[in-house]
Amino acid sequence: MKILVLGGTGAMGVHLVDLLLRHSDMRITVTSRSKRENRSNVVYVQGDGHDMAFILPLLEEKFDVIVDFMNYRTDEFRERYQRLLAACGQYIFLSSSRVYANSNVPITEDTPRLLDIMTDAEYIATDEYALAKARQENLLQSSGKKNWTIIRPYITYSENRIQLGVLEKERWLYRALSGRTIVFSKDIAERFTTLTYGFDVARSIFALIGREEAMREAFHITTSSPIQWSEVLEIYLDVLKEKAGICPNVLMMETSINLQYSWGKYQVKYDRLFNRAFDNSKISCFVDTSTFVKPQDGLRNCLKHFVEYPTFRGVNYGEEAKLDRFTGERISLQKIDALKHKVKYILYRYFI
């Protein structure tokens, strides 16, 4: 079986590739922006998955399955989805459970989507992540083809992706390990969320590969165990005390500071301020969801691993400076690697 994994080096993709390479009858091609060493039956192809000049020659090979982890704009996806469908026997499209509207009962795959019921004209005029994914789902559903499968993970964590509300680890854990204050917010902390370990998502995707009954279907892949964000924070603080010997301060704002930004407010307003609980019975027909890692255990283990082997990518020093203005703190310029980052920090900390 020939499988192409587009963008397969993230929290879910790395686990899926590990599962695939255990099967010697599978020939796996994985695209990645960075250079990686090939492994047994896995070939890594370096390139930008958004670049059609890079993608089109790959698609000429034809694959039994394409698993697509890429994050497209809707216009990008419109340009390529027919080619992707034509290039494989099964196209597995990574959507998101952020497409769902608010619900007072556990979400099923038939729960209305934001795109279907939204009355906020300003929001609808955007191609924000949840809307883009829903629009791209619509393109697949109206394609006239029968070889697509839609998956909708929710918030997925791993050893290298550890979120707190809307904050990636570079915006909260980096601060904690640097001896500075974590900035969080009460409005999100009081909400319930659903967090799923990347390996559990990966093995669910694996279970859908080549399954005829998965064609023209959508599946959300989540645990069925909601957890309050305030409990998530307590787990993180407990691990940091145990493994790193630190007790970070936490500045609890009344509302998320992302609500101040046009690029960040919708993720808060139309997702993180919802209580998210899921009925995962549909995907349980393909994988034993009772064995999914509980977030209380998975988050603890992943953070312990990261504290032992910390690697931060793409720290935004402008954002760091803004948070330091809230807390009255400063980062040592010696800890900032490049001159342009030092200048950015100084500008946003003291002048902008």
Side-chain angles (χ1 to χ4, degrees), residues 91-138:
Y91 174 63
I92 299 179
F93 173 69
L94 184 80
S95 184
S96 168
S97 284
R98 275 190 56 200
V99 300
Y100 294 115
N102 197 16
S103 176
N104 294 322
V105 297
I107 293 168
T108 72
E109 284 79 359
D110 296 322
T111 296
R113 302 175 306 169
L114 288 165
L115 180 65
D116 303 324
I117 66 170
M118 178 55 60
T119 59
D120 183 340
E122 181 186 88
Y123 180 47
I124 286 293
T126 73
D127 200 39
E128 195 269 339
Y129 184 77
L131 297 179
K133 288 298 187 183
R135 289 172 178 140
Q136 292 159 33
E137 289 184 2
N138 288 353

Side-chain angles (χ1 to χ4, degrees), residues 322-341:
K322 292 176 187 178
L323 295 176
D324 280 348
R325 291 177 74 168
F326 281 113
T327 64
E329 296 168 326
R330 297 170 181 81
I331 186 172
S332 169
L333 295 180
Q334 293 180 342
K335 294 182 179 180
I336 302 178
D337 53 359
L339 178 60
K340 65 179 180 179
H341 294 152

Side-chain angles (χ1 to χ4, degrees), residues 274-289:
F274 297 161
N275 289 310
R276 291 298 207 185
F278 294 86
D279 176 345
N280 63 8
S281 56
K282 187 173 181 179
I283 191 63
S284 69
C285 296
F286 296 85
V287 65
D288 184 1
T289 56

